[in-house]
Amino acid sequence: MTIVIAAVLAGAFAALAGALLGFAKHTWPTADGALVAAIDALLPQIQCAQCGYPGCRPYAIAISQGAPINRCPPGGEALVRSLSTLLGRSEHTAIDSRLPPFQNLLAFIDESRCIGCALCLPACPVDAIVGAHQQVHTVIARECTGCELCLPACPVDCIRLVRARP
């Protein structure tokens, strides 16, 4: 008798869970995968988080759900125009003036001051910093996007940003 009651309760729970999932699917918006991929392909992929999102893909998802398209300083006005064309939006093409202007910078590590703590390694979203624990670190210039995320991670302030060569 206990097994029958358990089976009935399990079935009722499964039916309730299915109903809730069906309701959620039609109630909460989901991002269209193809649209998100198209938007993400236009974004600069430097994962700098200057737009207010933790990377380009989360920003692409937000844009597909109606977020402003002018929040990417590295992409500039050309990106805003491209996104406007893709999405059929006629929005202002200037980058949001509340955002800092994009500067073409690279991280530089003063190797004489680097203590090899490795805290900068996980902070770099594009793996442009190489090194190992208790070893000197360096930056791969062609990979660095100048996002500045490594600066607060360094406890000895041996990382600075320098102007990238054009």
Side-chain angles (χ1 to χ4, degrees):
M1 188 63 137
T2 306
I3 294 176
V4 172
I5 293 172
V8 169
L9 286 175
F13 179 74
L16 178 63
L20 286 173
L21 287 173
F23 173 76
K25 180 179 179 184
H26 295 292
T27 304
W28 291 303
T30 57
D32 175 15
L35 179 59
V36 170
I39 294 168
D40 194 40
L42 292 174
L43 295 174
Q45 302 305 317
I46 66 171
Q47 318 309 330
C48 65
Q50 292 181 48
C51 60
Y53 295 89
C56 293
R57 178 112 179 130
Y59 184 41
I61 292 168
I63 289 172
S64 75
Q65 296 173 347
I69 61 175
N70 66 340
R71 304 221 12 107
C72 180
E77 293 180 10
L79 172 65
V80 176
R81 283 191 295 276
S82 296
L83 289 170
S84 182
T85 300
L86 174 69
L87 300 169
R89 294 188 194 175
S90 58
E91 293 184 27
H92 192 277
T93 58
I95 292 296
D96 188 333
S97 62
R98 295 170 291 188
L99 298 172
F102 179 69
Q103 301 174 357
N104 192 15
L105 302 173
L106 294 174
F108 173 79
I109 297 177
D110 182 348
E111 295 177 1
S112 68
R113 296 178 51 212
C114 178
I115 61 173
C117 67
L119 294 174
C120 57
L121 298 178
C124 181
V126 293
D127 295 328
I129 301 174
V130 294
H133 186 66
Q134 297 189 357
Q135 300 292 318
V136 173
H137 295 76
T138 193
V139 176
I140 303 169
R142 71 179 179 277
E143 300 296 325
C144 181
T145 62
C147 70
E148 304 180 24
L149 296 176
C150 57
L151 297 179
C154 182
V156 294
D157 294 327
C158 69
I159 304 173
R160 62 185 167 92
L161 295 177
V162 297
R163 177 82 48 208
R165 284 186 245 147

